[in-house]
Amino acid sequence: MTPDDFQKLATLLKSQSGLVLGPDKSYLAESRLTPVARNWGFPDAKALIRALVRREGKGGDSKLLLEVVEAMTTNESFFFRDQRPFDQLRDVILPSLLTSRGTNKRLRIWSAACSSGQEPYSIAMILNDMQHKLRDWRIEIIATDLSRPILHRATEGRYTQFEVQRGLPVTLLAKYFTQDGDQWRISEQLRRMVTFKVHNLLDGPGTLGRFDIVYCRNVLIYFDQATKGKVLEGIAANLADDGFLTLGGAETVLGVTDKFKMVDGQRGLYARADGTATALKGAPGAAGQTGRVGAA
Amino acid sequence: MKCCLIVDDSKVVRMVARKILEALQFEILEAGDGQQAMQACEQTMPDAILLDWNMPVMNGIDFLRQLRQHAGGDRPVVIFCTTENDMAHIQEALGAGANEYIMKPFDSDILESKFAQVGLL
């Protein structure tokens, strides 16, 4: 693949999916696109990209483009990834929302760019373990991704032995999974708690409705500043006044948007700058235990 | 520095686990079966034990049951690391007092993830 081919691929992906390919990703593109090229009868990744660009000039080949986007989308995911965002859900976010929503008892949670489903199922496990407090609540978990094949996997809820050992405590494996050949299948109860939908983050959450909790982790890092801002502002516009946003460990709103502020003492957890979300007094990590939403 | 006893009858597995755990700042002790492991624990009770199931002389589950009866034997965090990769064995291990369970083959990510989950990292 020549630098020119790679540049054309990068331009196309940026316009269609917001995915930013740095110049160091040429090898990744070659290795991920070679199998796609073979499936489509092209001799190599270079020929595939040239065909894609040619067809783009004639109205585009959406099926081929979708496969290329899916191949280039990073699907690395594991249960309870980084742990902290899930501790915050149990110890900070839910206690706050259970208090502020005591009357209508409804929550909508969005797991954006959910990949093969480990994040929304981790959320479902936490909610299920708190069911004594949530008995008469109506809670929806909407999990979205750009890639149909990866969502199909997520919906099936089948994981390899390697996948169920990354981040998932064995007690939860024993509680929520059954063995199915050489794979492990998540319980029907948890599968029913999550609704999976195809969705492009660049389209904003508008069609998905309003949310109280948004997990948008380890995906903004692949976007440029302008795209990050667009995505975050879309989320802010569809986040409830008392809602929370969780970003990945290497992500921040700083210098991207002023629509969010970090929740005091809670790394990676944000609330709307003009909102009312609070971490309750005594929440783990809250500086001075004031529980206010502080400056980012 | 925390101490981890690696109990496995395979020298290769012990060597691989040692390399990963030493990089995570553990001091390593080794034993080739449950009986040797029990003797090692009687001398120095480790902070963690990475434990194979099928071994000659004394297997892992019998060792674990003896350990948990022994004075101070409730202290080490025990992580099974075995080819017994079915739910019945997992339940049996948890019932005998195991804290975590690794199904072989494992890699450094899995080992690190399990040690972090049980608060050893």
Side-chain angles (χ1 to χ4, degrees):
Chain A
M1 183 183 304
T2 65
D4 185 49
D5 290 324
F6 179 74
Q7 191 48 51
K8 282 176 179 156
L9 173 70
T11 305
L12 200 58
L13 285 183
K14 167 83 172 37
S15 66
Q16 297 298 322
S17 69
L19 188 69
V20 176
L21 289 184
D24 57 328
K25 295 285 191 287
S26 177
Y27 172 76
L28 182 79
E30 187 105 40
S31 64
R32 293 223 175 155
L33 294 186
T34 298
V36 180
R38 288 192 185 131
N39 273 348
W40 281 74
F42 297 109
D44 52 27
K46 183 175 71 180
L48 180 150
I49 293 166
R50 288 179 181 177
L52 197 61
V53 171
R54 222 172 24 247
R55 291 176 196 183
E56 199 58 21
K58 296 174 185 168
D61 183 335
S62 57
K63 206 171 162 211
L64 178 58
L65 180 65
L66 188 63
E67 271 199 41
V68 168
V69 169
E70 283 168 351
M72 289 307 300
T73 308
T74 303
N75 292 320
E76 175 76 7
S77 183
F78 36 95
F79 291 98
F80 296 98
R81 185 173 182 181
D82 302 330
Q83 192 57 46
R84 184 191 291 111
F86 302 97
D87 292 342
Q88 287 173 336
L89 176 65
R90 188 189 55 237
D91 300 332
V92 180
I93 300 174
L94 286 172
S96 173
L97 287 171
L98 293 192
T99 303
S100 63
R101 300 299 179 82
T103 48
N104 81 357
K105 299 194 172 184
R106 291 182 68 156
L107 286 179
R108 295 189 84 232
I109 302 171
W110 178 22
S111 169
C114 69
S115 188
S116 39
Q118 286 94 328
E119 181 177 271
Y121 287 136
S122 300
I123 293 169
M125 284 182 230
I126 288 178
L127 294 174
N128 199 62
D129 284 351
M130 290 178 71
Q131 59 180 293
H132 57 289
K133 291 184 180 172
L134 301 168
R135 197 158 292 131
D136 47 354
W137 283 67
R138 189 174 161 205
I139 301 180
E140 285 178 82
I141 305 171
I142 313 292
T144 64
D145 201 278
L146 186 63
S147 162
R148 278 175 203 278
I150 206 75
L151 277 180
H152 179 70
R153 266 205 72 205
T155 308
E156 287 235 298
R158 285 174 202 270
Y159 297 95
T160 66
Q161 188 169 293
F162 271 94
E163 287 171 318
V164 295
Q165 297 199 90
R166 287 182 168 176
L168 185 70
V170 72
T171 47
L172 295 182
L173 177 72
K175 186 172 179 180
Y176 292 118
F177 288 78
T178 50
Q179 210 164 3
D180 187 0
D182 59 354
Q183 296 207 307
W184 294 80
R185 187 161 202 203
I186 203 149
S187 72
E188 193 58 29
Q189 180 194 11
L190 287 199
R191 287 206 313 131
R192 279 204 215 109
M193 289 174 71
V194 183
T195 304
F196 291 97
K197 291 182 178 179
V198 176
H199 177 262
N200 187 341
L201 265 180
L202 293 192
D203 296 339
T207 56
L208 300 170
R210 206 164 172 77
F211 290 96
D212 305 299
I213 303 168
V214 177
Y215 275 69
C216 183
R217 304 174 56 227
N218 305 308
V219 59
L220 293 179
I221 47 175
Y222 297 106
F223 296 153
D224 63 17
Q225 285 293 95
T227 310
K228 283 177 191 172
K230 186 181 165 199
V231 169
L232 285 172
E233 280 162 26
I235 292 171
N238 285 272
L239 186 67
D241 282 356
D242 54 355
F244 291 89
L245 164 69
T246 293
L247 298 180
E251 296 164 332
T252 179
V253 302
L254 266 180
V256 182
T257 176
D258 57 4
K259 301 284 184 192
F260 288 99
K261 286 185 175 177
M262 195 173 91
V263 178
D264 234 10
Q266 304 295 336
R267 200 172 138 212
L269 183 62
Y270 298 86
R272 266 176 49 180
D274 59 351
T276 59
T278 55
L280 294 180
K281 190 176 176 183
Q289 303 206 330
T290 56
R292 72 189 172 82
V293 176
Chain B
M1 190 178 249
K2 285 183 177 158
C3 173
C4 180
L5 173 64
I6 300 171
V7 190
D8 201 301
D9 59 337
S10 160
K11 257 187 187 173
V12 175
V13 171
R14 293 203 304 267
M15 192 179 70
V16 170
R18 172 188 276 273
K19 201 173 165 196
I20 296 167
L21 291 171
E22 279 181 344
L24 297 171
Q25 306 302 313
F26 280 89
E27 180 194 337
I28 300 299
L29 299 172
E30 290 187 23
D33 60 56
Q35 196 173 80
Q36 283 180 20
M38 206 63 230
Q39 287 161 1
C41 289
E42 279 162 2
Q43 285 184 5
T44 310
M45 198 59 82
D47 300 292
I49 300 174
L50 189 69
L51 181 63
D52 188 17
W53 193 297
N54 296 306
M55 292 177 290
V57 188
M58 186 193 287
N59 67 26
I61 196 79
D62 288 344
F63 160 74
L64 177 58
R65 290 194 177 110
Q66 271 198 30
L67 175 78
R68 292 308 194 203
Q69 298 296 319
H70 196 277
D74 56 342
R75 198 171 60 83
V77 172
V78 175
I79 301 175
F80 258 104
C81 185
T82 170
T83 51
E84 300 295 350
N85 58 359
D86 58 273
M87 196 60 93
H89 279 87
I90 290 173
Q91 299 282 18
E92 190 180 353
L94 291 175
N99 301 88
E100 258 301 338
Y101 200 99
I102 294 172
M103 295 176 273
K104 288 174 181 170
F106 62 91
D107 61 9
S108 57
D109 282 352
I110 289 173
L111 206 58
E112 189 172 344
S113 156
K114 291 290 182 183
F115 271 66
Q117 271 165 34
V118 292
L120 286 164
L121 296 177

